[in-house]
Amino acid sequence: MARLFKDGAGTTYDGTAAKFKNNPFTTFSPYDYGTTYGDASFPTSAALLPGLTAQQLFKARVDNSMAGSMRDCAECHVGGGANEYVPGKSPEVRTSLRDYFFGSAVTAFNYFIDVYGSRGDGFNTDGTPASYAAVQNDYSQTGVLEMDCLMCHLKDYSWEERKKAVRTGKFDASRTTGALLGAASPTDGVNVTYDPLKVVPTGDNSALKLAGTVAGNILATPDSNNCVGCHMAEHAVDWKKRGDTWSGTAEVHYSMGCMGCHKRKDADFSKVGTSGFTGLKGTYGFNNISSASPGDDSKKLGQCDPAKGNGAYESLWNATDNTTKNCSGCHIYGGDFDPATQSVISYETHGAPNPTAAHQAKGLTAKIVQQGGTMNGTANVGHLDLIACEACHSRKLGNFTGGAMVDGTGNDAEGRLADHENENVTRQNMTNNNFMAWQGNKLTAANLSTSLFWRDKNDVNFDANNDGRAGGMDSLLQTHVANINKANTYSLRPGQQLVALTQLGTVTAADISDHINAIDRDLEYQLGLKSTPGSTGNNTKTHVTKLSFMGVTFKTNHDISPADSAWGSGGCGDCHKGSTSASSAGTIGDTTAGGFYNGKFVVKGDTLNMSWTGGGAQVTPFASVNASTQPSDFHPGVKERSGVRSLAVQFASNATTIRDIDRSEGLYENAFKARNTAFNTSISGTAITFPAATSTTTTSQGWLLKIEATNNSGVTVVTRTKQVSALVTDMAGLLTNLGAAFTGTWDGTSYSGGQPEFGIRANGSGLLIEGRNGYSVRIHPQSDAGPLGLAGSLWIDKQYKGITTDQTGAAVATSDRKAWVAYLNSFADPAQQAKTGFGVDPVAQFPAGFPDADPNTAGYQLVVNTPYTLSADTGVNSNGFFTYSLSFTDGTTAGGPSASKTFSTLGTYAVTLKVTDEEGKTATVSRTLNVVNPPVVGMTIGPTTARRGISSTYTFGNLKDHDSLRIIWADGTSTTLPHVGAAGSSATANHIYATTGTKKLTVLVYKNGVQVDSKYNYITVTL
């Protein structure tokens, strides 16, 4: 932590607009730590001992500066940027560190904390430990870290030699030593001695050049080993964060090399930026810094940037994000697919096979799952829409190690301020050892990386890391922790100096107490608050030192397994596997879990054992998430499925050891909730529990109230914000601190002043927020809704509904994670799978009662200018998910299983019914329609219903002139009825049906032995 510039620090509150505004960088003048006393942006400076030198103030406030990062992070970072320049408003005005005049200023650019010593490994050449003093960096002696192109492009480049050079401040020389072209001067970091076999004179001896053997190893496309050295070798950054490796036994793309995917896709370099502009906002607008530099190159790739993926929690922000080739681009589209234009920009795909047919055969494209936050029981996407390719294909087969933890409680063996290399923070076998996480709207493979570190929970008046803000659960500066460790020993491990906790292998509550006690004795000395260490008697503040754990899910993109090893290759039961009991599903006790979205996951390093005193005595949660309503040991950025709420998972802070967790805990909340997005005329909060005036662990200072208001049903939304600026212990104090300019003044009838959209007053022991002037209000999720008593107004219960019934045939609607996992597990059952309809063809069929104005005429007669409802028989499609459409030869169409239709012109038409199932399979059927004038009223038959075994009397009316009738009952019997009647007369007959069903009763009318009329009608016979 270090402050770079004088300006651009923090925010400014605009009381009129009720919002915080960022303070922009304007001068880009390095911040001088010698100006700490009286610095308005560092209000806690008043607590410092008087008379500290600028170097002492730097040491008290900084652990890693820019000059320090050049000795640390630059073992892999290629240089350039702030490793070479003091940044300015634009590239034209930045100044080389070689030339910048710092004078007597002590800044983050020209000073560093000496953590590596002159030997570069935490020790000096005489064997003494590094001083941890604030040391000036003289760039005339060290040189600067210019971008080292050979790090990527020279085959057999040596990172180990580069690391040795940068650790000891030999920045210019590092480019030579890393390339193995020569040796650094023993007295400075600028001069080198070249290897005469690798650097040779030109023909006229006027200059030097690379020997042919070296030049031949400079590759336009970097060798994969160059990438692996920084990214995927054991203990490298992606090994640490993602558990990734690079080997032919673990990666099916190994033969393509890293640049097979990461090489830029614009073969003509049309997307390359050359100006260096990075999107700073200046006089001429965004990306238009001056009239001489109007470019917008921040949106383009740099000249030397490889394409980059889209993993969460990346530290870089530039146009290389999400520009790497992707699975669907190579395997399906043959390039970048633009859904807006339905076009493809082709690139080299290395002959990647198309897996679509295989995916279809496994049901992965069938629309049988739900996407998004609604979870209303309607299947709308396929598995491939919901699950990233890597989630199934990155099995990490091959028995290799990966990172599990980063221990910030002490140095590693090389002097780094945190340890991610000892065996106790390592996963010994990454095979099938992925976690899972949501990124955007997709399920991704991930590695859960957990950091542990010290922090102080005096949230009232102790600025435990000298960042200028008292409280807030400050994490301690790593250099202070390292110094304290060096000066203290364990009580039950005689003579052993304090170390990073995980290095002990087995960590006890007593070991943790030794660290806490040492911090309590010595931290204020490190902070410059007291003159001597070693005692708590001269402390000026109350210390509440705690250990904290933070879990972060880093996306896994590599170690892709062959298709026959992918999740799902063995069918649904590969993933949907585990208990179907809501009491045991989704727990680490479910030993039958599949290991994809459920099953036990070990958080800690495999050989680590830790225990501590519970009840919050030694360990505290990392964060309070979801508007400060739930404690969590997960980073707040680890979200549940809808992306709205953070996953509140405690795997350490509510226990006495690091517990194993179920993978589903990283996907779903224990109890599903959603944001209440409704605007209301008023919001009534619950009782607020205020901290005591003497509390040192809980404070109301910093509580944030953020209110959204609208007067047009959310079309436009106004946001107002206020933060409590001091400890308040009751409702009156809270309202006073919020201020009448924010709350308005209530006179018993109405509000005056304040914000125009709302007013705030007390409602008993809670807050009442009332809309004004036609506005309605709601709570913003960034509010501290928990302590302010507004959680019930912000969050509401949410149910996930199943797309099918459960195994008992009951509808599925639950707010419980374990119950939902049990439902997902049930799809290992073929009977449950069958409910999705996969493998069953759709049927297109019209119902028996299809409209027909004249049943006696062949075909289907519809009367002109008469509305009809034409529909599909949906009952023939049971299991699965179907869409229906009707189309007519007059050009009209209708979505859905039925349509209201009126024909205005006589003629012959056709209607076609199309049924599409969840797999995209279709069935069609057509029917001819004759549109006719209204028919002349003919014979009538009634009734049209009967009861089985009971005699019914049927009347045949409007008969033509006749002398006999023949009645065919459609049950194998008929009746001849001698009957003489004139035109328009009627006749009756009785009949008993012995069976149920639909009977086509037909009447034939005779005169002098000649049939003169006929008519049929359907009789429905029921029990």
Side-chain angles (χ1 to χ4, degrees), residues 590-862:
D590 182 8
T591 58
T592 63
F596 181 67
Y597 59 79
N598 61 358
K600 184 175 79 172
F601 185 84
V602 179
V603 174
K604 64 181 182 62
D606 292 345
T607 58
L608 178 67
N609 292 290
M610 290 188 75
S611 60
W612 50 79
T613 303
Q618 294 183 318
V619 176
T620 192
F622 171 71
S624 182
V625 299
N626 299 324
S628 299
T629 61
Q630 294 175 290
S632 181
D633 297 331
F634 269 16
H635 188 285
V638 183
K639 301 287 189 177
E640 47 78 40
R641 181 169 183 168
S642 70
V644 174
R645 286 174 52 87
S646 301
L647 287 169
V649 178
Q650 291 180 269
F651 55 79
S653 56
N654 62 345
T656 58
T657 187
I658 303 172
R659 72 173 178 89
D660 300 332
I661 62 178
D662 189 80
R663 284 173 168 83
S664 65
E665 293 183 70
L667 300 176
Y668 304 105
E669 294 188 85
N670 285 331
F672 306 154
K673 290 188 177 294
R675 183 190 178 188
N676 181 5
T677 58
F679 287 93
N680 296 280
T681 55
S682 65
I683 295 172
S684 182
T686 58
I688 298 175
T689 301
F690 289 94
T694 56
S695 174
T696 56
T697 59
T698 304
T699 183
S700 48
Q701 180 177 351
W703 285 356
L704 187 74
L705 178 56
K706 196 168 186 177
I707 300 170
E708 293 179 327
T710 185
N711 62 356
N712 53 14
S713 301
V715 176
T716 56
V717 177
V718 177
T719 303
R720 307 293 187 190
T721 306
K722 189 66 188 290
Q723 190 170 37
V724 178
S725 59
L727 174 67
V728 296
T729 58
D730 55 28
M731 179 60 71
L734 174 62
L735 292 174
T736 299
N737 191 279
L738 290 174
F742 184 72
T743 65
T745 300
W746 175 253
D747 64 5
T749 304
S750 61
Y751 291 94
S752 60
Q755 299 303 314
E757 301 86 10
F758 58 82
I760 305 174
R761 57 190 172 103
N763 181 24
S765 54
L767 288 174
L768 179 62
I769 304 170
E770 298 174 291
R772 299 167 61 186
N773 302 318
Y775 279 87
S776 299
V777 291
R778 68 183 182 189
I779 304 301
H780 193 284
Q782 290 178 350
S783 299
D784 287 302
L788 286 168
L790 300 170
S793 301
L794 174 61
W795 304 119
I796 55 177
D797 292 336
K798 176 179 181 178
Q799 283 194 329
Y800 280 13
K801 296 182 179 180
I803 59 169
T804 69
T805 58
D806 64 15
Q807 289 174 298
T808 68
V812 175
T814 181
S815 298
D816 179 70
R817 174 183 61 84
K818 293 191 290 183
W820 184 251
V821 172
Y823 171 65
L824 295 179
N825 292 346
S826 73
F827 286 95
D829 182 355
Q832 283 292 92
Q833 296 170 25
K835 294 178 182 178
T836 69
F838 177 67
V840 179
D841 293 335
V843 176
Q845 181 174 301
F846 290 110
F850 195 85
D852 188 355
D854 187 1
N856 293 314
T857 302
Y860 292 86
Q861 323 303 314
L862 302 184

Side-chain angles (χ1 to χ4, degrees), residues 242 244 251 309-311 314 390 394 445 555-560:
R242 311 178 202 285
D244 283 347
E251 176 60 67
N310 65 336
E314 296 293 353
E390 300 89 345
S394 179
K555 182 179 179 182
T556 290
N557 294 314
H558 301 93
D559 305 308
I560 303 301

Side-chain angles (χ1 to χ4, degrees), residues 976-997:
T976 298
L977 186 66
H979 184 273
V980 177
S985 62
S986 62
T988 61
N990 295 325
H991 189 71
I992 299 174
Y993 282 106
T995 60
T996 59

